[in-house]
Amino acid sequence: FLQKRGEEVRVRALDRKALLEALAEELPPGTVRFSCKLVSIDTERAAGDSSETVVLGLDDGTVIRAKVHLCH
């Protein structure tokens, strides 16, 4: 278990290939990106919103905002 800001977070190992295949099959086209080079990870919080959004910067200048991200 990991502790993050007073919350208990469970970590579970998964087979990476099986996870990626399952995601790619179930999510809309373009949702899962392969072979991207990640150059930055940050978080932001919208005014009046208590949830955080993950902000990913790719080497081609693309910025992705997401509630969930998986990186290898």
Side-chain angles (χ1 to χ4, degrees), residues 8-29:
E8 186 177 274
V9 179
R10 292 178 181 242
V11 177
R12 182 182 303 176
L14 297 172
D15 178 64
R16 182 175 182 269
K17 182 179 178 185
L19 175 62
L20 292 175
E21 288 173 352
L23 287 172
E25 289 173 6
E26 297 297 323
L27 295 171

Side-chain angles (χ1 to χ4, degrees), residues 25-49:
E25 289 173 6
E26 297 297 323
L27 295 171
T31 302
V32 178
R33 294 179 181 229
F34 298 98
S35 302
C36 295
K37 184 174 180 185
L38 185 64
V39 295
S40 66
I41 302 175
D42 205 349
T43 59
E44 63 184 24
R45 191 178 307 254
D49 188 357

